[in-house]
Amino acid sequence: MKPDRAGSRVPTGYFVHKEWPYEPRFKRVNGWRMHYIDEGGGDPVVLLHGNPAWGFLYRKFVKPLTAAGRRVIVPDMIGFGLSEKPVREQAHSLDGHIANLTSLLRQLDVRNATMVCHDWGGPTGLGFALSNSDRVRALVIMSTWAWPLPPAEFHKRIFPWRMMHAPLAGPYLLGKHNALAGRGMYLSVVDRKKFQDEAQSAYESVLPDPGSRLLTWTWPRWIPLDETARGFRRFEWLERELKRSKFPTMLVWGREDEVFDHKTFATRFKELLPHAEGPELVTGRHFLQEDSGAEIAKKINDFLDRIHERQP
């Protein structure tokens, strides 16, 4: 990667992998260059990743969903994957990421969409859905959250979480040594040998230098730990609006997830969305797509088929 005139990192080439044979596409969103893939036809399914992943996380979803007659859109959030990577922390806020996603999906005139939300793709995708309800048909929610407090117990620990994102330790561990895309993701799957052999390099290679890794240690600072947190009001809004939501919803969770454990977080979503199906439990720690991608894709297809059957 090379810096552009604004100081951001712009991918100079395309990612090549046998499991990612998709045409790269780009749109300008709020001044940044966003990468996405857009495959198939029919009602759109938008697959949203979190930190420190990118669209590759959903590689096992694309063919089953397109084969079922659905259009699949997989964006890379600004700062990740093949999208542009601002090197100023001010470029990254939850509201900013919601605005970037909104710009992309409006440019693509996405309507009747199913939003598949995981990790930071949860607050981001739900933020889009709740403010663009005329464009959204259904929600699939996986290993995420959408309320201010309490955060996961995991995020309150001094070690390793809060230390990793401290002013000096964050740039050193996650910036210089790419610890989150490397060791962090490795520890967050069940079949670690398979992940190491088939996927780990795909996450590390798109974050090749410290300047490209800023978001891996700055985005988590938006997780509210108390009422003074800068993201607190946005999460209050998400919780309030989600309670009013009538979107058909399915919850899918990894049985082994320790970051957002299903007993706490899936249960909380069920309280907010009592009409939601699930939680459907699958093999998986936090990055459950790595262990159960094809199974989750089938659950999404079946869920959307059921919605279609219920329509008059």
Side-chain angles (χ1 to χ4, degrees):
M1 291 189 184
K2 62 181 180 180
D4 71 358
R5 287 176 295 177
S8 67
R9 300 283 170 146
V10 182
T12 56
Y14 296 147
F15 176 81
V16 178
H17 192 285
K18 64 181 181 180
E19 292 190 55
W20 194 252
Y22 307 112
E23 178 186 355
R25 303 173 188 268
F26 297 89
K27 292 285 187 185
R28 299 295 297 187
V29 299
N30 302 312
W32 306 109
R33 187 170 182 255
M34 178 177 270
H35 169 260
Y36 66 100
I37 66 167
D38 190 345
E39 299 288 322
D43 287 338
V45 179
V46 182
L47 306 173
L48 299 172
H49 70 83
N51 182 21
W54 61 287
F56 185 79
L57 182 67
Y58 288 103
R59 65 195 179 279
K60 298 174 185 176
F61 289 54
V62 179
K63 290 181 180 179
L65 292 172
T66 56
R70 313 192 197 282
R71 177 186 179 189
V72 176
I73 299 170
V74 191
D76 292 347
M77 300 297 181
I78 294 297
F80 285 124
L82 301 182
S83 290
E84 195 166 352
K85 298 177 175 65
V87 295
R88 299 186 305 276
E89 185 173 353
Q90 293 82 355
H92 297 299
S93 69
L94 177 53
D95 285 352
H97 286 289
I98 294 171
N100 293 335
L101 178 63
T102 300
S103 175
L104 174 69
L105 298 184
R106 286 183 175 177
Q107 288 184 65
L108 298 177
D109 196 26
V110 165
R111 298 182 184 278
N112 212 30
T114 297
M115 308 299 293
V116 179
C117 305
H118 173 257
D119 191 79
W120 275 103
T124 306
L126 294 173
F128 170 82
L130 295 170
S131 54
N132 294 270
S133 59
D134 59 322
R135 295 179 179 269
V136 175
R137 176 192 190 191
L139 304 174
V140 177
I141 299 174
M142 307 190 296
S143 293
T144 187
W145 89 115
W147 47 86
L149 295 175
E153 190 278 331
F154 176 86
H155 297 120
K156 294 188 287 186
R157 298 176 191 166
I158 297 297
F159 184 84
W161 187 254
R162 295 178 73 174
M163 186 202 74
M164 286 197 304
H165 302 97
L168 296 179
Y172 179 76
L173 293 173
L174 279 69
K176 183 176 181 179
H177 292 286
N178 206 13
L180 199 57
R183 186 70 174 170
M185 290 195 72
Y186 172 80
L187 293 174
S188 297
V189 301
V190 172
D191 191 339
R192 293 172 179 171
K193 176 66 164 59
K194 183 179 180 182
F195 174 77
Q196 192 172 44
D197 291 345
E198 297 182 3
Q200 187 164 4
S201 63
Y203 297 108
E204 294 178 329
S205 65
V206 295
L207 299 171
D209 56 67
S212 67
R213 300 168 191 154
L214 174 70
L215 191 52
T216 66
W217 56 271
T218 60
W219 208 358
R221 294 177 179 179
W222 279 81
I223 298 173
L225 298 177
D226 57 48
E227 293 186 6
T228 66
R230 52 188 168 182
F232 191 86
R233 301 304 171 199
R234 175 55 62 205
F235 280 97
E236 278 192 321
W237 176 85
L238 283 169
E239 182 179 29
R240 183 175 64 250
E241 294 301 311
L242 199 60
K243 289 178 181 178
R244 302 171 182 170
S245 165
K246 300 302 180 185
F247 294 123
T249 302
M250 180 172 65
L251 308 176
V252 182
W253 237 261
R255 292 185 190 90
E256 296 85 359
D257 189 1
E258 297 173 343
V259 179
F260 295 109
D261 66 279
H262 68 86
K263 291 182 180 179
T264 301
F265 288 86
T267 298
R268 178 65 175 136
F269 272 111
K270 193 74 171 181
E271 292 171 353
L272 294 173
L273 300 166
H275 63 280
E277 297 188 17
E280 300 281 342
L281 299 182
V282 300
T283 299
R285 287 191 167 88
H286 185 57
F287 294 99
L288 64 167
Q289 299 95 325
E290 286 294 334
D291 289 298
S292 297
E295 180 182 355
I296 299 170
K298 183 179 186 305
K299 288 181 181 296
I300 293 173
N301 274 328
D302 292 345
F303 168 60
L304 295 179
D305 287 344
R306 288 194 296 274
I307 293 174
H308 180 73
E309 289 171 1
R310 290 197 296 262
Q311 288 179 339

